[in-house]
Amino acid sequence: MRVAIASDHAGFEQKQQLVDFLAQDLKLDVMDLGPDTDDRVDYPDYAALVARAVADGSVDRGVLVCGTGIGMALAADKVAGVRASSITTPDFADLFRRHNDGNVICLSGRFVDLQVNEEILKVFLTTEFEGGRHAQRVAKIMALD
Ligand code: RB5
């Protein structure tokens, strides 16, 4: 599985650690779309990079980290083909995959510990969409693009 990841300055430190977690622990093919420093940046610019990589099929899933995860989710979800949400617990990550077929997860670098975000990512990247009755609901979401 190919995964794209990016952050803003508020999520930079955890993003660096999550790149290693994805590549070394989960053995995934990781595309780090930046930034390379913790200089202040605007989160929509980085949300767009990851969201477009998911939408055009360059990667299978996207991961974004900002202060809360909220701004990244608002921006990424604007890109057609993307289903993005701010996720702060492993249980929500599980339902985000099983019911919503989420493809871009947005994490909080300021309010959620690294270990919890690692668990969230593990669930997000290993849980399958259930389909069935959820498929027509997801199709209705995508018809709004
Ligand atoms: C940056 O200060 C902060 O607004 C951003 O990281 C994010 O939390 C926005 O939703």
Side-chain angles (χ1 to χ4, degrees), residues 8-10 43 66-72 110:
D8 69 355
H9 50 285
Y43 58 82
C66 66
T68 59
I70 296 170
M72 286 293 198
R110 283 187 174 151

Side-chain angles (χ1 to χ4, degrees), residues 79-142:
V79 175
V82 166
R83 292 173 296 281
S85 182
S86 159
I87 297 290
T88 55
T89 71
D91 283 346
F92 273 34
D94 178 60
L95 288 167
F96 182 47
R97 285 294 309 138
R98 288 200 291 121
H99 289 191
N100 311 118
D101 199 14
N103 53 13
V104 175
I105 196 162
C106 304
L107 305 175
S108 167
R110 283 187 174 151
F111 298 96
V112 177
D113 290 344
L114 176 67
Q115 291 71 22
V116 176
N117 276 332
E118 288 179 347
E119 185 58 31
I120 287 170
L121 280 189
K122 198 168 159 187
V123 171
F124 173 64
L125 295 166
T126 58
T127 304
E128 294 298 323
F129 178 49
E130 276 180 14
R133 70 184 188 280
H134 301 293
Q136 75 184 41
R137 296 165 184 166
V138 170
K140 286 185 178 185
I141 294 173
M142 301 325 286

Side-chain angles (χ1 to χ4, degrees), residues 26-89:
L26 299 189
K27 313 268 184 241
L28 298 174
D29 190 358
V30 184
M31 190 187 294
D32 182 353
L33 297 180
D36 297 326
T37 72
D38 65 358
D39 291 351
R40 189 165 296 172
V41 293
D42 294 333
Y43 58 82
D45 296 335
Y46 288 88
L49 292 176
V50 167
R52 288 181 180 137
V54 171
D56 72 17
S58 304
V59 296
D60 303 296
R61 303 270 172 83
V63 179
L64 289 161
V65 194
C66 66
T68 59
I70 296 170
M72 286 293 198
L74 290 170
D77 206 57
K78 295 279 186 191
V79 175
V82 166
R83 292 173 296 281
S85 182
S86 159
I87 297 290
T88 55
T89 71

